[in-house]
Amino acid sequence: MEAGETRRIISATDIYDISGVKLWAGNQPVSASLQRRLLDRELRQPLETSLIAEDGVSVAGLVQAVQDVLQSASPLVPVLQPHAPRLLALVGGLTLHPVAQLLLTAAQTARPAHYAHAVAAMALNGALMAADGGDDAAVRLALLSGLLHDVGEMYIDPLHGEAEADRDLDFASYQQLVVHPHVGYLLVAQLTNYPAEVARAIAEHHERLDQSGYPNALGGGKMSPQGRLLAVTEATLNALRSPYSHLLHASVALRAVPGEFDLHWVGKITKAAGAQPPQSAVLQASEIEQRLAALGDVLAGAEQRVLALAQVAQLPAMQTALALAQFLLGRLRTGWNESGLWNPAALLSADAAEVEALEDELYFRLRGVQRATLLRAGQLPEPEAGQLLALCDSLAMGA
């Protein structure tokens, strides 16, 4: 509806309600107010399939957007540049389904950061596949999967805005966010003619090989090849949204908890990060050491509190939520143990910038444990709700 205020949105076909009453003729302008009225009626076809953004996102515009990224100071440029001519040619050959074009236009108009993220994901996903020797068909699938991976976010309550762009995401926004991979899958699978691999990758882009992802906690054995790639692309871009916006942080984030991501794709990001000039830590070495000691205490305290609460929990919903918290904290413990950050002697020989990035990522993951636990619990009665909230608040305060 916001796009309709500044873009020419027209009806692609005649629009009918469920009883066969014609509500609007094809090839006619559709204003924001008319869209509102149409949404109040039960339509024969989803409204998304009946509209076109006549002056909206185009293939030529996507090519220009990728060129803009290549000419920018983005940390992605070293990954994209070796494949730039091929990427630009293949982006130029993509077909934009009207539903995809409409949603991308809405994003470009009302949520420009969302659109920029989609372009970056398209370029990075395609570049990684190209770097792996993928043929043109495989690279095109990667480009489309990256471009459309977050179309489900267009159905997040606008009150929560650019939900995923905020690493300090609150629980209310997280509740909205976790459904977007499934919504995106439904949109692409049911309303477009794109290959099934694209829809499936969209559904899986927040899944993890160790079953710690969402929305279905699939695990590696159930993830598709394109889904494994797209999960690495999305995690890379999310890490670059952090205060440490360089490839080193992305490489660290992908390796922070062993077993989450496909190492085949992680290796390509890590190799690109290693080829960049060394990064300097923002904090002093003594400050990093103090924060690491505090992180170790927070993690140990969280494990103890979850275990104590699990031993007295009676409600099945509470038990399930605490089991998830124990699993996720166990994954963080694995990352902590393998990192060696608990050993002051090891820190003396470690790269300060990498240590700083890993410390930031593990704190970020603690906030994720808090949100996932609350979501799994659902609505609990008192006193259980208060007990779980106190536990989760302690994780957020520590983070």
Side-chain angles (χ1 to χ4, degrees):
M1 287 189 282
E2 276 189 57
E5 295 173 0
T6 57
R7 302 293 183 91
R8 181 174 164 80
I9 308 296
I10 64 172
S11 50
T13 61
D14 293 344
I15 300 175
Y16 295 87
D17 70 12
I18 195 86
S19 63
V21 175
K22 184 175 177 180
L23 304 177
W24 199 249
N27 202 36
Q28 296 298 313
V30 180
S31 65
S33 60
L34 175 59
Q35 286 187 56
R36 266 188 213 96
R37 295 199 299 275
L38 291 172
L39 287 171
D40 289 336
R41 303 288 289 270
E42 192 172 358
L43 303 180
R44 180 181 292 177
Q45 298 293 332
L47 188 58
E48 294 90 340
T49 66
S50 304
L51 304 179
I52 295 176
E54 198 174 50
D55 56 349
V57 171
S58 65
V59 170
L62 290 175
V63 171
Q64 183 59 55
V66 174
Q67 287 179 323
D68 291 343
V69 174
L70 287 165
Q71 294 168 5
S72 72
S74 168
L76 295 178
V77 172
V79 184
L80 306 182
Q81 193 63 57
H83 313 285
R86 189 179 179 201
L87 289 178
L88 292 169
L90 290 175
V91 170
L94 294 179
T95 299
L96 274 183
H97 187 280
V99 170
Q101 190 262 2
L102 178 71
L103 293 174
L104 289 169
T105 299
Q108 186 186 49
T109 305
R111 297 182 178 180
H114 175 110
Y115 178 71
H117 177 70
V119 170
M122 173 179 67
L124 177 58
N125 216 46
L128 290 174
M129 181 60 77
D132 196 49
D135 61 18
D136 285 357
V139 176
R140 272 193 292 269
L141 285 177
L143 291 168
L144 283 171
S145 299
L147 178 65
L148 302 175
H149 77 285
D150 271 346
V151 290
E153 278 196 24
M154 295 307 295
Y155 293 79
I156 289 176
D157 186 332
L159 291 174
H160 299 281
E162 301 281 340
E164 197 172 6
D166 185 358
R167 285 174 64 87
D168 295 319
L169 192 69
D170 62 32
F171 178 60
S173 294
Y174 180 75
Q175 287 178 294
Q176 296 275 327
L177 180 67
V178 292
V179 299
H180 84 269
H182 183 62
V183 174
Y185 165 79
L186 293 175
L187 286 165
V188 173
Q190 297 182 9
L191 303 184
T192 79
N193 57 0
Y194 288 131
E197 298 97 315
V198 174
R200 184 173 173 186
I202 290 169
E204 296 171 348
H205 76 275
H206 280 289
E207 300 289 357
R208 300 290 181 261
L209 302 186
D210 64 356
Q211 296 185 288
S212 65
Y214 65 81
N216 296 311
L218 285 182
K222 296 181 179 179
M223 290 181 68
S224 67
Q226 286 282 350
R228 287 168 173 248
L229 166 60
L230 190 55
V232 168
T233 291
E234 175 73 349
T236 298
L237 294 177
N238 283 342
L240 295 178
R241 287 167 162 169
S242 75
Y244 309 95
S245 56
H246 45 69
L247 282 177
L248 171 64
H249 194 137
S251 172
V252 168
L254 291 168
R255 295 178 286 114
V257 178
E260 284 187 314
F261 298 101
D262 189 325
L263 291 178
H264 178 76
W265 300 113
V266 170
K268 298 187 182 305
I269 299 296
T270 299
K271 181 179 178 180
Q276 299 306 297
Q279 296 290 328
S280 299
V282 175
L283 301 175
Q284 297 297 317
S286 59
E287 294 176 297
I288 297 174
E289 190 170 343
Q290 290 171 4
R291 284 174 59 89
L292 285 171
L295 175 58
D297 292 342
V298 169
L299 183 56
E303 291 170 320
Q304 293 167 6
R305 287 190 294 274
V306 170
L307 179 61
L309 196 51
Q311 289 173 340
V312 299
Q314 299 295 319
L315 294 178
M318 184 73 152
Q319 293 169 344
T320 300
L322 292 171
L324 176 63
Q326 286 178 306
F327 169 69
L328 294 175
L329 287 171
R331 300 298 299 132
L332 287 185
R333 171 60 66 183
T334 299
W336 174 261
N337 289 345
E338 293 198 14
S339 71
L341 297 182
W342 47 270
N343 182 357
L347 294 179
L348 295 176
S349 60
D351 178 81
E354 184 162 345
V355 170
E356 185 177 48
L358 182 54
E359 181 260 357
D360 175 76
E361 183 64 23
L362 290 176
Y363 268 125
F364 170 57
R365 299 301 187 87
L366 273 175
R367 293 192 289 272
V369 174
Q370 175 217 27
R371 296 188 293 260
T373 301
L374 287 172
L375 186 69
R376 180 65 60 88
Q379 296 294 322
L380 292 172
E382 291 294 347
E384 285 83 358
Q387 292 171 338
L388 189 66
L389 187 59
L391 167 68
C392 290
D393 284 347
S394 71
L395 290 176
M397 289 173 62

